[in-house]
Amino acid sequence: MFDVTISDNGEILLSGRFDASQVEKAKSIFNKIEKSSTVDFKDLEYISSAGLGVLLMTQKRLNESGQRLKLINMNKHIWDVFHYAGFNNIFEIE
Amino acid sequence: MKIHSQTEKLEFVRTFISEAAQQFGFDEDSVQNIVLAVDEACTNIIKHSYEYASNKDIDIRIMTDDHRFEIIITHQGKPFDPKSVEIPDMPAYLASYRKGGLGMYIMRAMMDEIEYKKLPNNITEVHLIKYLRNKISR
């Protein structure tokens, strides 16, 4: 189970488990983002490299126009994965 | 367990591995690391070895011996040697926003050993090994 929605204040909310089976669903939302946005991980339980790839490509596209993603409320394991992969160097993580 | 080569089946694989790793005695962090490594290995097989053909088989077995926890993933798709993938220099890699090879990087970071075996009849085995320190019998 995975879901991605945009809240009324423009935050992107992730929930469930973001693996390779959910890439197209996630892209349908992330590909529409055109300005700096916050991604809330509060209800995200799991992410694999497939999910990291969607975030990375979105960050790349936004950076080209001086925009960026900010990632908030990660659980410990997801935070660890981001640090293992060095993603903490290219995303602002709160 | 045996699954068809579909990313929708990854959830079942994660549950299977998580339960076995917990039962063996790994702490929660290690369980999650092992689960992620197996997810990445199966995703690579579905994506690169079977090129998203959805009716192929992936067999996943677990063998344990004292402190050694080994997951053996067997497939008959295109051979793919994880060791052939160069470990990226992550700062430079990320600076260029490349994402290929990221799954392999994560697999290696999460496990103690990765072995690759090419067998007759186009069978390939990927062995993911993790050692349990301070094992407590259950």
Side-chain angles (χ1 to χ4, degrees):
Chain A
M1 179 67 183
F2 169 76
D3 205 4
V4 51
T5 55
I6 300 180
S7 69
D8 292 342
N9 65 3
E11 278 192 0
I12 299 137
L13 309 174
L14 302 179
S15 63
R17 294 172 287 277
F18 191 175
D19 66 12
S21 68
Q22 305 299 330
V23 166
E24 295 309 314
K25 183 176 189 175
K27 279 183 177 176
S28 71
I29 296 291
F30 279 95
N31 286 350
K32 293 177 183 167
I33 299 169
E34 294 179 347
K35 60 182 182 180
S36 290
S37 304
T38 299
V39 185
D40 192 339
F41 280 58
K42 178 170 65 71
D43 294 321
L44 192 72
E45 301 166 28
Y46 175 85
I47 192 166
S48 70
S49 68
L52 296 178
V54 173
L55 294 166
L56 187 63
M57 289 302 103
T58 305
Q59 185 79 325
K60 177 183 182 180
R61 182 172 55 78
L62 290 176
N63 269 3
E64 289 168 359
S65 57
Q67 311 293 309
R68 61 183 179 161
L69 295 177
K70 180 168 81 173
L71 316 180
I72 64 172
N73 295 326
M74 287 180 187
N75 70 29
K76 179 183 178 301
H77 180 63
I78 292 176
W79 190 92
D80 285 344
V81 172
F82 269 76
H83 281 70
Y84 277 131
F87 274 44
N88 53 309
N89 294 317
I90 58 169
F91 288 100
E92 180 183 353
I93 300 174
E94 268 185 26
Chain B
M1 76 179 299
K2 184 176 282 187
I3 62 164
H4 281 310
S5 50
Q6 302 162 7
T7 54
E8 291 77 12
K9 301 291 194 276
L10 292 170
E11 181 81 54
F12 301 114
V13 175
R14 292 197 297 266
T15 301
F16 173 66
I17 297 297
S18 176
E19 289 176 356
Q22 283 180 39
Q23 184 67 30
F24 192 65
F26 284 110
D27 62 28
E28 187 57 31
D29 280 349
S30 296
V31 169
Q32 291 183 329
N33 290 347
I34 295 166
V35 165
L36 179 57
V38 175
D39 179 317
E40 300 292 353
C42 290
T43 298
N44 271 336
I45 291 166
I46 293 167
K47 188 174 177 181
H48 299 295
S49 297
Y50 285 136
E51 297 176 325
Y52 292 108
S54 60
N55 59 345
K56 305 297 184 183
D57 289 330
I58 300 173
D59 186 71
I60 300 158
R61 288 175 291 141
I62 296 169
M63 293 182 64
T64 60
D65 179 17
D66 194 18
H67 290 65
R68 179 184 169 101
F69 186 83
E70 178 173 8
I71 304 113
I72 304 165
I73 307 172
T74 307
H75 68 87
Q76 291 181 282
K78 280 169 54 180
F80 182 72
D81 183 355
K83 290 180 179 175
S84 70
V85 178
E86 189 178 343
I87 296 177
D89 172 54
M90 285 311 280
Y93 180 85
L94 291 171
S96 63
Y97 290 99
R98 290 172 54 201
K99 60 178 178 141
L102 183 58
M104 196 63 62
Y105 177 86
I106 289 174
M107 274 170 64
R108 289 181 182 176
M110 299 291 146
M111 302 304 290
D112 292 324
E113 296 173 20
I114 297 177
E115 295 177 1
Y116 163 88
K117 295 180 182 174
K118 184 82 182 76
L119 305 177
N121 301 318
N122 196 38
I123 293 171
T124 301
E125 287 183 350
V126 181
H127 296 242
L128 304 176
I129 299 148
K130 187 93 166 174
Y131 294 96
L132 175 59
R133 282 83 187 175
N134 306 317
K135 180 175 171 69
I136 299 168
S137 298
R138 295 193 171 185

